[in-house]
Amino acid sequence: ELSSSFCLRIFKIIVIGDSGVGKTCLTHRLWSGRFPEKSEATIGVDFREKVLEVEGEWIKIQMWDTAGQERYRKSMVQHYYRGAHAIFYVYDVTDERSFQSLPVWIEECRRHSRGHDVPSVLVGNKCDLHGASRVSGDVARKFAELHGMPFFQTSAKNPQVSDNPEDILAMVAQRLK
Ligand code: GDP
Ligand code: MG
């Protein structure tokens, strides 16, 4: 019952990755069940909250999106990482550079989590696109294994073609408990 949600345990999930990989669209998909209209995607939100049932317990998930502040991350980074319970590392499967940026993001998260082992997942987004250049799923899976994270390939635009974003969130929520 939502009226008693004030006493639910709250878990903070942060979404990390290069600008343009689809972090905002993925967050929007998870919260509204839709791919955002252009105008909606530009609205800057600190975080969105959702109440989820995980193995019989209701918990509150707070999902933090960077709202296009990647460029200013030096100044907002502390606030963003503080108290994170889980991390979504996102890259764009059609953009090799966004995959190559991952070690930098992982290193930055490590620096801010002060030795805590924060549950993380690797998410390749935009699987609906069939461009010529593509990050190999095998290479990405090996990278995820190396860093001890589950690996998913998804599409915020068309979840049917790939792993469903909702299943990824449910799996992460289960690990939080
Ligand atoms: P962010 O900078 O990481 O938050 O990326 P956005 O969510 O703003 O998305 C960047 C661009 O990629 C936008 O033009 C989106 O419409 C597009 N986009 C995001 N997710 C997908 C997807 O799954 N498939 C396709 N085809 N485009 C996507
Ligand atoms: Mg964004």
Side-chain angles (χ1 to χ4, degrees):
E1 180 47 45
L2 287 178
S3 61
S4 62
S5 66
F6 63 86
C7 62
L8 297 180
R9 288 200 289 160
I10 297 175
F11 295 96
K12 175 179 177 179
I13 300 180
I14 58 178
V15 187
I16 301 283
D18 280 3
S19 187
V21 297
K23 300 181 299 297
T24 298
C25 289
L26 265 177
T27 306
H28 200 278
R29 159 70 65 190
L30 282 166
W31 259 250
S32 72
R34 289 184 302 109
F35 190 68
E37 305 289 331
K38 241 199 173 93
S39 55
E40 291 174 317
T42 58
I43 298 170
V45 186
D46 258 3
F47 61 81
R48 290 168 195 274
E49 286 186 331
K50 185 183 193 125
V51 176
L52 265 192
E53 188 182 4
V54 183
E55 292 165 351
E57 186 193 348
W58 291 92
I59 60 171
K60 191 183 269 183
I61 300 279
Q62 237 179 35
M63 193 131 173
W64 289 60
D65 178 24
T66 48
Q69 294 145 324
E70 291 90 345
R71 279 181 297 155
Y72 315 109
R73 61 181 211 254
K74 286 265 146 53
S75 56
M76 47 85 69
V77 87
Q78 298 277 359
H79 170 65
Y80 194 68
Y81 286 106
R82 186 177 304 132
H85 296 95
I87 305 170
F88 274 51
Y89 289 104
V90 185
Y91 69 95
D92 172 348
V93 297
T94 68
D95 177 7
E96 188 79 38
R97 264 207 328 213
S98 71
F99 181 72
Q100 283 159 5
S101 295
L102 290 169
V104 177
W105 288 114
I106 291 170
E107 181 48 37
E108 185 172 285
C109 288
R110 291 249 159 85
R111 269 206 313 277
H112 286 89
S113 57
R114 303 194 193 106
H116 294 289
D117 193 16
V118 185
S120 306
V121 289
L122 181 63
V123 180
N125 188 40
K126 306 197 190 181
C127 283
D128 59 289
L129 294 178
H130 299 284
S133 79
R134 226 158 199 271
V135 177
S136 147
D138 287 340
V139 170
R141 187 168 291 107
K142 286 210 181 86
F143 178 84
E145 263 170 37
L146 192 71
H147 290 276
M149 318 180 210
F151 170 58
F152 298 94
Q153 299 193 81
T154 193
S155 162
K157 189 167 195 173
N158 185 2
Q160 276 90 338
V161 303
S162 55
D163 293 321
N164 190 323
E166 296 206 23
D167 295 339
I168 303 174
L169 180 62
M171 183 277 208
V172 169
Q174 216 157 42
R175 285 180 70 191
L176 290 173
K177 276 200 60 197

